[in-house]
Amino acid sequence: MDITLACGAGNPGSNPGRGAINLYIPSEVVQGMTEKVTDASQKQQATAQQVNIFAAKEIANFVRSTLGPMGMDKMLVDQAGDTIVTNDGATILRTMNVTHPTAKMIIEVARTQEENCYDGTTSSIILTGELMKQAEGLLSKKIHPTMIVKGFKLAASEAEKALEEIVVEEDLITVAKTAMTGKSAESDKESLAEICVEVAQAAKLADISVIKRAGAKVSDSTAIAGLLIDKSMMHHSMPEVVEEAKIALIDIDITLPDFAQQVQVQVNNNDAVEEFINKRKAQLQALAEKIIDSGANVVLCLRDIDKLAVEYLAKNGIYAARRVAKSDMEAVAKATGARIVSAIDDIVSSDLGSCGLFEEILVGDEPLIKITGTPNTNAVSVLLRAPTKHVVDEIGRAFDDAVGVVSLAYTSEQTLAGGGSSYMYLSRKLRNFAATVGGRSQMAVEAFAEALEIIPSTLAENSGLDPLDTLIELRQAHAADNKKSNFVGVNVYDGGVINMVDLGVIEPFAVVSQAIQSAAETAAMILRIDNIITAKKLAEIGEDGFQY
Ligand code: ADP
Ligand code: MG
């Protein structure tokens, strides 16, 4: 993907940008405020801060319309015209070719969030942007960045504690459904949520593989015990079922070495031609023989397998598949105990993996490899179906999130009410807490409390509700300060506010807590920067970087 998020001064049209998305820092942002300061070092500080705050707000603005069940999708187009339609914050930001250094730091938040919690990426980015916006207000009141950082850190650690007070107990199905709400997976969330919970309880996340295949209804998706690989046999006479399989994993072409393939031979009679062909056959046969001698009855190859070798393997009742994805090779190696071999001459029986049953199954009209009874891991696979490739890809992203989230909730066993309710609760708690802090960092704690409201207010805005009215309603409801009122969040479907536990909108504790902690840390890190020093002269960075 080559969508440039470059950051240049002034006129958007002047940037020779290579892609569709450009982040411009208007020159007044850069110059305007710096004119007010006279001291040179302060001037630099203001400049770096202005640029960083601007970048954080812009990135947050870019993804905010995708938040929540009523969020919109983005269509990402690369230069070859290939498209992805998604509302997954992490996917959007990963796909963009962001060149601005501060923007990259902010995108890092989404990556951390995705790696640790599988969900909540958009929330973490929006929150980071809002914290920077609040910081901007404090800076303009001449509050020193160090004081802001101190207040933010204090607020984040207080928030972590307060979050414990609103933990709810809910079943995993509800958690899975919440994670899929608002995605293309939504209309089939009942059946997908069941699959999610089934696999998350059956295997560790690392041992769950998801195969996506277009051409059927989403409700045809199934969970299958064992490892699935989207490949098929290379010769029709190969066996469909191999019991007690001995699996060879080979990551090079199974063919003659390059020099033997590219020789030019001049022949002057038919006998010579035949002799040449026979010799080649014999060499390939010998190669296949090496694999057979090792005791293998299944061969999975990362690259290609020569036709003659395939014939020979088939004749010997050996199953072979080519161009198996590297990740699948690794999963098979892990589950079956096979070693991936790069030299066919050296292959021995101890390199082979084993499994009780290796078979080719049919899904619709198309074959898939299924491996069960593996000695090492208890792999589980999900076969996701949807009518078209775009849909199955987007459902795959929602499903990945949901499986991760359910797995997280299953292992940590802590969940919270969604719909922005926990952010509202924390916001109120932190406002009360701020009063006890005193000093200038008190203002930063208050600002932090206000920033948290961006999640419910964005959920409201994306559902076509008035964000301010909704916030006022939420504040009123939460002021009751009882067990029920703590769970009141945004009613994105009917407007107004509603108890999210009753509605069954539940998310893992870790998703919310990580989003808050990493947003606070990133904001603090950015605020401590007083100068941007680049290896190139600023003027030289031009289209690939930023200029101001
Ligand atoms: P993220 O990338 O942050 O997970 P999402 O687009 O998945 O962004 O939106 C998640 C937010 O939507 C969470 O705050 C969650 O509580 C909220 N949410 C999910 N389902 C509902 C619902 N039915 N009603 C209100 N809010 C919901
Ligand atoms: Mg989500």
Side-chain angles (χ1 to χ4, degrees):
M1 289 273 168
D2 201 8
I3 302 165
T4 309
L5 188 68
C7 173
N11 170 16
S14 71
N15 191 302
R18 295 167 298 161
I21 304 154
N22 285 297
L23 173 64
Y24 291 99
I25 301 222
S27 36
E28 60 273 18
V29 169
V30 177
Q31 285 157 14
M33 290 202 43
T34 57
E35 278 162 9
K36 292 178 208 141
V37 287
T38 44
D39 170 35
S41 73
Q42 268 188 32
K43 185 167 179 170
Q44 279 177 334
Q45 186 170 333
T47 307
Q49 261 158 13
Q50 292 307 309
V51 170
N52 289 339
I53 289 170
F54 189 84
K57 288 198 301 191
E58 259 332 76
I59 300 267
N61 260 339
F62 186 68
V63 295
R64 61 182 288 153
S65 67
T66 70
L67 184 78
M70 310 288 269
M72 302 296 281
D73 292 349
K74 301 260 180 217
M75 178 161 136
L76 308 168
V77 186
D78 70 5
Q79 280 187 333
D82 286 338
T83 56
I84 300 181
V85 176
T86 184
N87 76 6
D88 185 58
T91 305
I92 296 168
L93 295 173
R94 196 182 321 115
T95 319
M96 290 178 1
N97 177 13
V98 173
T99 50
H100 188 280
T102 315
K104 277 188 179 167
M105 269 165 51
I106 291 154
I107 289 171
E108 199 59 36
V109 181
R111 198 169 307 143
T112 315
Q113 183 76 24
E114 189 171 46
E115 274 168 17
N116 295 333
C117 304
Y118 320 101
D119 198 9
T121 48
T122 315
S123 307
S124 64
I125 293 280
I126 294 179
L127 199 55
T128 309
E130 190 62 19
L131 283 175
M132 293 309 290
K133 189 173 159 194
Q134 291 290 338
E136 188 179 29
L138 296 172
L139 289 167
S140 72
K141 287 182 192 144
K142 297 272 180 287
I143 296 181
H144 196 273
T146 316
M147 275 300 154
I148 305 176
V149 168
K150 193 176 157 210
F152 279 7
K153 292 224 149 165
L154 206 59
S157 85
E158 194 63 22
E160 181 78 10
K161 280 187 253 160
L163 215 46
E164 299 277 353
E165 299 158 8
I166 44 169
V167 167
V168 286
E169 273 187 27
E170 268 299 335
D171 60 298
L172 296 172
I173 292 273
T174 318
V175 177
K177 281 195 215 158
T178 304
M180 281 185 277
T181 309
K183 315 270 172 187
S184 337
E186 163 131 36
S187 45
D188 295 281
K189 66 180 177 183
E190 301 286 336
S191 59
L192 291 177
E194 265 169 40
I195 297 177
C196 242
V197 174
E198 188 183 335
V199 295
Q201 286 177 330
K204 278 191 282 184
L205 199 57
D207 301 326
I208 299 172
S209 57
V210 179
I211 305 260
K212 291 167 271 186
R213 196 164 271 184
K217 294 193 301 269
V218 181
S219 55
D220 292 336
S221 304
T222 47
I224 297 173
L227 201 62
L228 287 186
I229 300 172
D230 197 356
K231 284 289 155 197
S232 58
M233 64 176 76
M234 291 181 73
H235 195 285
H236 58 87
S237 70
M238 287 176 171
E240 273 170 13
V241 178
V242 183
E243 285 174 25
E244 297 306 325
K246 294 280 168 210
I247 305 169
L249 300 179
I250 296 170
D251 71 354
I252 52 164
D253 282 311
I254 303 179
T255 183
L256 298 180
D258 283 353
F259 65 84
Q261 291 187 52
Q262 284 166 7
V263 279
Q264 282 192 7
V265 197
Q266 271 196 356
V267 284
N268 36 25
N269 61 47
N270 280 347
D271 289 350
V273 174
E274 206 167 308
E275 193 191 325
F276 174 72
I277 292 174
N278 284 340
K279 219 172 187 158
R280 213 177 111 73
K281 253 187 185 166
Q283 281 173 318
L284 281 161
Q285 193 167 323
L287 199 65
E289 205 87 57
K290 292 262 188 218
I291 299 172
I292 298 167
D293 287 349
S294 73
N297 49 19
V298 171
V299 179
L300 300 180
C301 183
L302 183 80
R303 311 278 288 267
D304 203 358
I305 309 180
D306 189 284
K307 265 198 191 125
L308 285 169
V310 171
E311 281 279 343
Y312 198 70
L313 290 171
K315 242 186 222 157
N316 283 273
I318 293 178
Y319 183 104
R322 64 173 172 170
R323 301 207 192 287
V324 177
K326 194 155 185 275
S327 56
D328 287 334
M329 298 278 283
E330 283 162 2
V332 175
K334 190 175 165 211
T336 66
R339 198 178 71 85
I340 300 177
V341 178
S342 305
I344 296 168
D345 279 345
D346 301 337
I347 192 166
V348 288
S349 67
S350 61
D351 294 328
L352 306 178
S354 61
C355 76
L357 191 61
F358 180 102
E359 53 188 325
E360 194 170 289
I361 56 171
L362 276 185
V363 173
D365 302 336
E366 287 187 66
L368 270 182
I369 293 172
K370 179 178 164 188
I371 300 174
T372 42
T374 52
N376 291 356
T377 49
N378 186 17
V380 181
S381 304
V382 176
L383 180 63
L384 278 186
R385 309 297 313 267
T388 70
K389 188 177 174 304
H390 278 130
V391 177
V392 83
D393 283 348
E394 176 65 348
I395 286 191
R397 283 185 283 271
F399 191 84
D400 281 345
D401 281 5
V403 171
V405 162
V406 170
S407 200
L408 196 68
Y410 181 58
T411 45
S412 74
E413 292 176 4
Q414 277 197 319
T415 49
L416 294 167
S421 61
S422 35
Y423 292 91
M424 275 321 285
Y425 177 79
L426 293 181
S427 181
R428 188 173 60 84
K429 279 272 150 167
L430 287 182
R431 278 205 180 90
N432 294 341
F433 169 70
T436 68
V437 173
R440 295 207 155 189
S441 41
Q442 170 174 345
M443 290 179 78
V445 177
E446 276 163 5
F448 196 100
E450 193 164 334
L452 292 172
E453 292 181 338
I454 190 69
I455 301 296
S457 100
T458 308
L459 283 173
E461 188 178 345
N462 288 349
S463 326
L465 308 174
D466 184 294
L468 205 60
D469 287 347
T470 312
L471 265 190
I472 292 168
E473 258 189 88
L474 281 172
R475 281 187 195 166
Q476 272 172 354
H478 276 258
D481 194 15
N482 58 42
K483 245 197 141 5
K484 284 227 145 196
S485 70
N486 294 341
F487 304 135
V488 175
V490 183
N491 188 348
V492 296
Y493 300 114
D494 303 325
V497 302
I498 192 166
N499 184 315
M500 302 318 288
V501 177
D502 295 347
L503 204 62
V505 179
I506 301 292
E507 50 204 10
F509 183 93
V511 171
V512 178
S513 119
Q514 171 85 53
I516 295 173
Q517 299 308 319
S518 49
E521 257 168 49
T522 308
M525 183 168 70
I526 297 172
L527 279 169
R528 279 202 218 94
I529 299 169
D530 69 348
N531 210 336
I532 301 172
I533 300 159
T534 57
K536 294 183 192 175
K537 277 191 200 137
L538 290 179
E540 286 173 10
I541 293 175
E543 61 164 316
D544 285 334
F546 61 101
Q547 32 175 250
Y548 52 81

